[in-house]
Amino acid sequence: MVTVSAIHTASTQNNMAAVGSLVNSLTSLWRQQCARTCLPHLFVCISFTGSILKPTGLVPESYFSNSRNVLNLYFVKVSWGWTIILLLPFIFYSNLYNRSHTFMLRRLTSLLVATFIWYTCTGTFFYIEDITGSCYASDTMQVIHGEITTKAACRKAGFIWDGFDISGHSFILTYSSLVIVEEMVPMLHIPQSHRNICLDCLYIALNAIVAIWIWMFGCTSVYFHDIIDKVIGTLCGILGWYLTYVVWYPMPFSPGLPPQQKQHA
C-alpha cells in the first residue's frame, strides 16, 4: 500500500529533478561564449533601436508604457536590492566549491564594490539633473520657479522639473545584468552531484531576474527618456562592469574573478 509519506517523497524527488533539469538547460545556454560576450552589445543595440522606434509611434502603448506596472514598481524600482539579496547567498555557496572560505569572503567584497559603483553613479545622475534643471509651474514650461533649486523640492511643491535626466533605469538594468551574469559563471563548472536545491533555486532566480531586467530595459528604450539619456546610462553601466570584471578583478589586489573552469578542475 502506498503511504502518504511515499507519495510526498516521490513528489519531492520529481520537483528536484525538474529544478535540476532546468538548471542544466540554463547552464547549457550560458556555456555558449557568445551568450555572455555579446550581452553588452545587446544592451547598446536595444537602447539605440528602442530610441529610434520611440518617436515613430510604431510601438503601441501597452501595460508596460505605464511606469506603474508591477515589474517596474516591485522589481526595477528596487532592482539593486533584488541583485544583492540573490547574489549574496549565491556567491557564498557557489564560490565555496573546491575553494577556501578566505577566497569566498574575498569574492563577497565584489558586492561592496558593485554597491559603491551603483550608489556613486545614481547619486551623480541626480546631482546632474539638479544642477542642469529648472522648476516649472506646468508642462508648458513657461512659468519658472527660480527659488526652487532641486527636483525633489519642485515635485513636492506639485510642479514639474526639467533637467538633464540620465536614465537610471538604463544604467542599473545594464549594470546589474552584467554583474549577475559574471557571478553566475561558477555554476557552469560545478558538477550536478555537488549542487544542492538551494543553489539551484538561487541560480534559477538570478536567471529570471536577468530576463526581467532585459525585458524592462527594452521597455525603457521604447517608452521613456530621450536617446542621449538612455545611451549615457547604458554606457555607464557597461563601463562600471568593464572597469571591474575586465580590467581590475583579474589583478592580484582585487576581489578577484568568480571561479573559472580551470580553477574548478
Side-chain angles (χ1 to χ4, degrees):
M1 183 176 178
V2 179
T3 64
V4 173
S5 177
I7 294 174
H8 177 73
T9 300
S11 176
T12 301
Q13 289 175 342
N14 289 336
N15 291 336
M16 292 179 64
V19 169
S21 178
L22 178 55
V23 169
N24 291 337
S25 297
L26 291 170
T27 54
S28 295
L29 168 66
W30 291 114
R31 280 194 185 97
Q32 306 300 318
Q33 190 66 22
C34 63
R36 285 179 284 147
T37 57
C38 292
L39 195 57
H41 306 285
L42 175 65
F43 281 114
V44 173
C45 289
I46 292 175
S47 186
F48 272 107
T49 303
S51 298
I52 292 171
L53 290 174
K54 181 176 179 284
T56 66
L58 293 176
V59 181
E61 297 291 308
S62 71
Y63 173 72
F64 293 102
S65 61
N66 185 335
S67 62
R68 297 195 61 79
N69 69 77
V70 170
L71 291 183
N72 191 55
L73 287 177
Y74 298 106
F75 286 89
V76 178
K77 291 290 187 182
V78 288
S79 53
W80 196 246
W82 281 107
T83 301
I84 295 298
I85 287 172
L86 292 174
L87 275 183
L88 186 62
F90 180 81
I91 292 175
F92 177 85
Y93 286 116
S94 65
N95 284 248
L96 273 179
Y97 174 68
N98 279 353
R99 306 293 291 183
S100 67
H101 281 79
T102 302
F103 175 81
M104 180 271 296
L105 291 173
R106 177 188 170 196
R107 288 265 38 264
L108 283 174
T109 62
S110 64
L111 294 182
L112 294 177
V113 174
T115 300
F116 175 78
I117 292 173
W118 161 75
Y119 184 82
T120 301
C121 287
T122 53
T124 301
F125 297 164
F126 289 140
Y127 177 72
I128 290 173
E129 189 175 9
D130 276 346
I131 64 173
T132 59
S134 299
C135 188
Y136 297 88
S138 67
D139 55 10
T140 59
M141 305 297 182
Q142 292 180 348
V143 181
I144 301 179
H145 291 268
E147 72 280 5
I148 301 177
T149 58
T150 66
K151 179 180 179 179
C154 181
R155 287 193 167 181
K156 185 176 181 180
F159 301 132
I160 296 174
W161 185 265
D162 182 51
F164 187 55
D165 183 16
I166 298 173
S167 176
H169 277 41
S170 294
F171 162 73
I172 191 59
L173 296 176
T174 301
Y175 184 57
S176 177
S177 296
L178 293 173
V179 168
I180 290 173
V181 169
E182 288 285 354
E183 293 297 343
M184 289 195 299
V185 166
M187 202 67 170
L188 307 182
H189 318 301
I190 299 176
Q192 187 169 354
S193 58
H194 288 76
R195 301 195 319 243
N196 56 47
I197 189 65
C198 182
L199 185 59
D200 282 355
C201 288
L202 284 169
Y203 185 67
I204 292 171
L206 286 168
N207 275 274
I209 283 293
V210 170
I212 292 173
W213 288 176
I214 293 174
W215 170 256
M216 292 305 293
F217 182 87
C219 292
T220 297
S221 298
V222 297
Y223 290 127
F224 305 101
H225 289 283
D226 295 328
I227 182 170
I228 188 65
D229 304 330
K230 289 176 284 194
V231 170
I232 291 177
T234 302
L235 292 178
C236 285
I238 293 174
L239 183 63
W241 158 79
Y242 183 85
L243 291 178
T244 49
Y245 286 89
V246 179
V247 176
W248 182 30
Y249 288 1
M251 297 180 180
F253 297 102
S254 74
L257 289 170
Q260 308 297 308
Q261 187 168 15
K262 62 181 180 180
Q263 295 174 312
H264 282 315

